[in-house]
Amino acid sequence: MTQQIETGTVMTIESDDEFRARIRQWFADNRPAKRPRDPAERKSWVRAYHARMYDARMTGPSWPLEYGGMGLSFAQQVIYQEELAKARVPSPLGTGLGIVAPTIITYGTDEQKQRWLGPMLRQDLIWCQGYSEPGAGSDLPALRTTARREDDFYVVNGQKVWTTHATDADVFFTLVRTGTQESRQKGITYLIIDAHAPGVTVRPLKDITGGEHFAEVFFDDVRVPIADRIGEENQGWPLVRTSLGHERAAGAMNQATNYRRILDELIALARERGLTTDPLTRDRLADFEIRVRLMKYNASRIINDIIAHGEPGPASSVSRLFITMFEQELHEFAVEMLGADGIVTRDSERAIQRGRWLTGFLGSRASTIGAGTSEIQRNTIAEQVLGLPRDPAMPAR
């Protein structure tokens, strides 16, 4: 395949092989500096690197050109993700790029798109999701955070929890209740909230790995301009479905390329330690090899659906379920394969590869909960992919 690219004021034709070579060379010429240990310095380091990528038009592979993206074809998006994984560049901060960005592109006004998309992609502003609540995780229509109209503002009160990277956030994309509690999904509105506004409190939560990747967020009479609402009041539920579908779709190709590299590293470790002489170990590694290839093919199918229909569709739930189960089982096997060395923590001098496999094992315990539990994914697959009878307890589309 070929694609037109702009070089100065001239449009030239670039083949897929030429595109891969150009992408690979850019990452080779622009390797990130060593990762800082200090959290504040690390945050600045990530933002600076992604700003460099944005300024060079080397980020946002699926994003339209007018919003700072690359506007790549499907084939070149796959190539880009493969080279990005090999380059080992720092992941962007926050959760906005794969979740709220497609929602803004689909439902936002022209003014909102111009105001938010470029700074989000450049990492000038870090966006985080504010969906889950103490009593509304998998059952999002039960959320209780309220937004009351007052002149040209909403006044927001409530609590969110398990908010990923909330301590880094400049902006929250948030679900609030503007209807009655009984209205469930018919009374939900999609708001964009300044994370530094008066009345916003963020409290970190320590997880089983010892890290603080999540937080709880409190809103106490936070005033949000009506202009910062996406879509219409009480009509946020379809936007939620777009956000979650794109979250699973965006993660599919990224994770497929990342787990290709991670599995290769695990196989290399097994060989280094002489463990591949065990036929059971070889059998398990072969199984993971098959599954990591399937992961890539399924991710490609989802991207094709987005290109064809504008939405990832229910197949994104297949990908989400497959990847989270793979992630858990791979790390369980890695710890088991390493034996006693596999349970040495990263602080010990005896830790294998700084304890990465134990840390991954502990972190993956939450994989089948976040972004919709495995039970939710199975319901979606059963009803919308296999055509089985609908669960009456689940909200209507």
Side-chain angles (χ1 to χ4, degrees), residues 91-113:
S91 298
L93 297 170
T95 55
L97 294 179
I99 310 176
V100 71
T103 303
I104 294 172
I105 290 171
T106 303
Y107 296 100
T109 65
D110 290 340
E111 186 276 332
Q112 289 171 337
K113 294 174 186 177

Side-chain angles (χ1 to χ4, degrees), residues 208-222:
I208 194 172
T209 69
E212 294 181 346
H213 307 295
F214 306 97
E216 52 185 348
V217 180
F218 298 88
F219 301 114
D220 184 12
D221 288 337
V222 178

Side-chain angles (χ1 to χ4, degrees), residues 287-349:
D287 176 62
F288 287 125
E289 175 67 30
I290 293 168
R291 289 159 69 184
V292 83
R293 295 188 188 191
L294 289 174
M295 194 184 298
K296 177 181 176 180
Y297 296 142
N298 192 59
S300 298
R301 178 176 65 169
I302 294 172
I303 293 176
N304 260 333
D305 285 344
I306 294 174
I307 292 171
H309 308 295
E311 294 291 340
S316 64
S317 287
V318 177
S319 179
R320 174 68 186 171
L321 180 63
F322 185 87
I323 289 172
T324 54
M325 293 178 65
F326 177 90
E327 182 179 27
Q328 285 186 345
E329 292 177 24
L330 180 71
H331 284 95
E332 286 174 5
F333 169 72
V335 171
E336 178 185 327
M337 182 187 77
L338 293 171
D341 289 338
I343 58 174
V344 177
T345 62
R346 58 188 171 191
D347 298 325
S348 171
E349 293 181 357

Side-chain angles (χ1 to χ4, degrees), residues 13-68:
I13 300 297
E14 184 178 49
S15 70
D16 287 352
D17 288 342
E18 291 169 336
F19 171 74
R20 184 185 293 277
R22 177 169 66 86
I23 293 290
R24 182 176 295 176
Q25 189 62 53
W26 191 91
F27 284 127
D29 293 341
N30 294 271
R31 296 185 188 280
K34 187 177 180 180
R35 183 176 183 265
R37 287 183 175 272
D38 179 75
E41 292 180 5
R42 187 160 58 246
K43 180 178 177 180
S44 298
W45 169 73
V46 173
R47 296 178 83 157
Y49 190 81
H50 281 273
R52 190 194 315 174
M53 291 177 66
Y54 177 88
D55 293 343
R57 191 74 79 158
M58 291 295 294
T59 189
S62 64
W63 283 40
L65 293 170
E66 60 264 37
Y67 305 129

Side-chain angles (χ1 to χ4, degrees), residues 1 42 74 85 117 144 172 208 246 288 307 332 370 380 391:
M1 292 183 65
R42 187 160 58 246
F74 166 68
L117 291 174
R144 293 182 175 274
F172 294 114
I208 194 172
H246 278 276
F288 287 125
I307 292 171
E332 286 174 5
T380 300
D391 181 352

Side-chain angles (χ1 to χ4, degrees), residues 180-197:
T180 64
Q181 193 63 38
E182 292 72 27
S183 63
R184 288 183 60 81
Q185 71 271 18
K186 296 180 180 179
I188 290 175
T189 298
Y190 204 110
L191 288 187
I192 307 303
I193 300 179
D194 181 355
H196 308 297

